[in-house]
Structures are given as C-alpha cells and as structure tokens.
Amino acid sequence: MQYSQKVLDHFMHPKNVGKMENPDATATEGSPACGDQVTVYLKVDESSHKIEDISFLSYGCASNIATASIITELAKGKTLDEAKQITWRDAMEALDGLPPVKVHCSVLAADTLQTAISNYEIAHGLKEIPNFGKETIIEELRKIIYPQVGEDIISLKMVKYVGFTDGKVLIDLNIPSFDTWRENVAEEIREHLEKYSEVKDIQINFP
Amino acid sequence: MNRIYMDNCVTSQPAPEVLKAMKPYLEEKFWFPGSFISTGEAINSALEGFRKTIALPLNAKANEIHFTSGGTLANNLAIKGLATAHSDQGNHIICSVVDYPDLLTNAAFLENSGFEVTYINADSEGFIDLAELEAAIRPETILFMTTIVNHVLGTIQPMDRIKAILDNADHKIYYHADAGQAFGKIPLDVSILGVDTMAISAHKIHAPQGIGALYVKSGTKLGQIIHGVRRIDDLQPGGLNIALIAGFARAVDLTFEDFASTQTQLRELSDYLLAQIEATIPQVELNGPRGKNRAPHNINTSIDFIEGEAITMMLDLKGITVATGSACASQGLKPNYILMAVGKNHIQSHGSMKFTLSRYNSKSEIDYLVSQLSEISTELRKRSPLFNAKK
C-alpha cells in the first residue's frame, strides 16, 4: 500500500511545523533508536483552556511528519478536554489511512499530543501525577501496533497476561515463534515501558 | 525531465544493445538446445558462445560458467552445494557479519541443518577482520564465503590477503564469493582471486532481471540442490530464458569492451558526487572507505539529524531514485544491519543515503541531485527535534 495523497500533502507541506518560543507545555516521545521522535509544543489559554497555538518537530519518515502535522491540525482551537479525545485512529482517518507498517507513526504523534496536554495539566494543578500500575501498562500496550495489520496488540488479543509487582513487569504475548514481527513487538513494548522510573525489570514471555 | 536513477546496485537500466541482442531469441530463434536437429544445435552453439563471452573477462573457461536465474540462485547452488558435497570432511563454515543477505541466510539455514558457522567481524569501514579469519580456521572448516564488494558500503575486501590465508591453511577450504556488486565494477580474475565458486548477476550491468551465472572451478564437486529435467545446465535443471542469456552476454561485451574507461568514468562521477555533497551539505559523513578500496559506483553518506525514508520520498517526488538504510524504509522496520555492524549509531543508519551510479549517469544529473538533496536536508532539519536541540 502506498501513501495517500493527504499523507503526501502533509509530508511535503506540513502545518504548524517548527520550534515554539515560550510554550506553555511541551512533550517529546520516541527516540532515534526507535527510528522516530516527535516534539509537540502547546500554547493554552489559561481561562478557557483552549489550545491557542500548537506546533511540532519531527525526526522521522514521511508518515511520521504527516501524522504529526495532522494531529496539530486536529488539536488546534480545541479545549484540552476536547483534545484529550483525539486518538491515533482519528489521525489515520484524517489522512485517508496509512500503510499497516506505518500505523505506529500515528500512535507516536497522538501519544506526544496527549503527553503534552498531561504535562500542562500537571504543571497547572489540573491533575495529579498519575500513579503507575497495571492500568498504565495496558494503556501503553494499546499503543503498540502489530505492523503486519496496523492494529494495536490489545485489540488483536495478542496480550494474554499483564502483571506488575515490585517494579517487575510480566507480559505474556500470544505471538508464535514463526511470526517475523515478534521481536519488533517485544522491542517496542520495552521502549514504551522503560521510560517509567517505576519499571525496574520487564519480562516478556511467548508461547 | 527524465527520471534520474541512482539505485544501480539494486538493478540497472537494460542497455538498448542488450535488448536488441535478445530479440531474435524471443522471435525466430525461440528454441531450446538439443542434439542432431538444426534448431537445437543452433541454440547449443549460441549458448557456447555466450558462455565464452561471459567467461572471458573472468579469465574462466566457458564450461565453468553455469547459467542461473540470478545471483541469489547462484549463491544458493554454490553455498548449499559446497557444504553438502564436502560435509564428510567437516561441518564448519566461515563468513562475516557484513556479508550479503544471500550468504547470511544460507549460513543460517546450514546452521539449522547441523553445520557450525563462525561470523567474523568487520572494521568501521567494512573490511573483514583477517586476524579473526585466520583464527577461525580449524580442521573441520570446509567453506569460507565472502562478498567481494559490500552492497551497502562499497568496500572491496582484500581478496589477495584472503586468498593467502586460505592457501596457507593445512587443508582444502572451499571458497565461495558473491560478486554481485563487484562484477563489471572491478577487475575479477578467478585464478588471481583463487575462488572455487563465484556468483554474478546480469541486471546490475545493464541486462534485464532474471539471469545470472555461477562460476564453478573445473573439478569442484557441488551437491545437487535442484532436481529436474536437464535443459541448459546441470546445476539448475529445467528451462532458462535463452533471450536473457543472450542479453547477459551482450551486456558483458559492452561492459568490458572499454572496461578501464568505464571504471574511470564511474570513479570520476562518484568522486564528484561525494565532493559536491561534502561541499554543499554540512554534517554529513561518508560510510565505508575512501579511495581505491571502494567500488567505483558506490557513495553512501549519512546526513545527520534527519531520516532517510523522508529524504528518499522527497527525492522521489522530484524524480530521483536513490536508496536509504533507514529502518522506516525497510520491510522489517530495522536499521541497516551492515551500518550497525560497522559501529554506526541509529541516527547515522537512519540518515544513510546510498547512491549507486552507472555509465548512464552524468555530472549534470549529479548537480541536480545535490541541489535537491541540499534543499531537502535544510527543510527536514528545520523540522527535526534532533537538529533543533543541537543548534
């Protein structure tokens, strides 16, 4: 599957690209080791909680740039509560779809937006720093896309068990040994969970 | 403007003379080889001529050239054929971490089939570690294989020193070379190289896809890998496309009729390309060696802080075809294994751009490429959090 015309348009002529001076909140997700990294900057009106301005920087492929561009378009002018409803599926839809192997790019863009909003809310006393627990792990697993079909591993019922005790994460995955994407999925789970200081050890089991 | 094509290590544009040479074998001479009757004999004798043409620049004999459907099949027939034919003498094989996937996947297959494989390392420019090679040899070693010109870095392995090490062993070690990127780019004389088998491919030298050859030194025993009716070749039974073989032979003729000047032309073009990139775009580095130990058609540079799939896409939209080692452009979402094996980091691997030239490229094409690449790099760096953080 090739990129849609909308992906190409947002890649060649992205909206809201560039570093923002004095943002009210910012977030960076991903890393060069993952192959892509996105930074989102927010300016938020203090009384209405509307996103007055938003911009992004992207280190990544065409779909990474396009998904970051569209996510900023979707969030601009929305209140924080409205913007919190924006998911990677919205970004995908707004771009007329992505090749399955590129769906994780839309997850990264949506995730970065959500982290920026969360960072704003925490800094402005609108919410507490969330406790880390099994629910956090499951939320992170919802962001792991199985590249062959472009769906997350929770929806695909690939996760059989999630446990968290004394800093140790235990995950049982239902991915057979002949599956060529097995290592990619495991690696991405590690990248998503290692950023939490509460996580000391990650064990991923396969059948 | 015509598309600018600089991905010639993957495949190259068939020469018009090649297509012309193929045509009779798709029309009036559509026959298979055979004995006694004139149609079969005509093909027999044509094939003999084609074998001679291809053997000549390799300093091989015509009957040492075996046609295959491409380089990959040639590699398979040689590697599996040598390993199985000589497994009574040992079960140890040596190759390197920077070999072409044909070699590494065959090595992995043989490992699963009970052979032991030692993967020797390479230095930062992609040259294999000869001390490791020497140390890896043991009485059970039956096969060493190498990729003469690295398909990513353009590194030309020190073939004379490899030969000396293998000659120095106190028993026979069969020697297979993949010359997919070397044939038609650097001189290859099988007696100087000392190889027992060597795979070559036609579509990298301006013949169509779907034909290659395996050189097998006279007297070398190979296990039979493919079984079936003998039409053209013992090693690959069944039919082979005679027209493609005719095209292959013509492409060899054209490549070697003035080999020295073609090599010089390619070297001048790639030197010019590298000089232009280095002069125009800041913070780039060359991957692989500089100078005479690099194949004349290959330039591979990493452009820091930006990602190769995006660069490749933008160049594509400007009518330029090139390649990248970025994970995002790979089928398995992994950074290029060669770049990682020679110690490059993720940013260098994801930002690596490979330009492989042919005799059909020109300086004006390079000028256009570099001007576009420079604009694209500036634009993508403006968008990059890594570049903005460095500023």
Side-chain angles (χ1 to χ4, degrees), chain A residues 148-178:
Chain A
Q148 198 173 331
V149 293
E151 260 297 341
D152 73 90
I153 58 172
I154 296 278
S155 301
L156 290 169
K157 301 193 190 310
M158 288 177 155
V159 181
K160 275 166 64 188
Y161 174 80
V162 174
F164 182 65
T165 29
D166 302 334
K168 187 175 176 178
V169 178
L170 187 66
I171 297 170
D172 287 349
L173 291 181
N174 195 11
I175 305 180
S177 60
F178 56 78

Side-chain angles (χ1 to χ4, degrees), chain A residues 3 8 11-14 17 19 32-33 35 37 39 57-62 65 101-102 104 147 181 184 187, chain B residues 305-307 309-310 313-314 317-318 328-329 331-334 346-347 350-351 379-380 382-386 388:
Chain A
Y3 286 133
L8 292 179
F11 166 54
M12 291 304 281
H13 311 287
V17 67
K19 191 175 178 175
Q37 184 174 326
T39 301
L57 290 174
S58 156
Y59 166 76
C61 60
I65 292 169
V101 75
K102 297 289 186 182
H104 70 271
W181 294 105
N184 287 66
E187 205 175 303
Chain B
F305 314 120
I306 55 179
E307 189 279 328
E309 194 250 32
M313 285 289 304
M314 281 194 175
L317 294 167
K318 306 271 185 192
C328 294
Q331 288 175 342
L333 293 178
K334 295 262 185 244
H346 282 92
I347 295 177
H350 296 320
E379 174 58 30
L380 288 175
K382 252 192 250 167
R383 303 180 189 179
S384 163
L386 308 180
N388 277 272

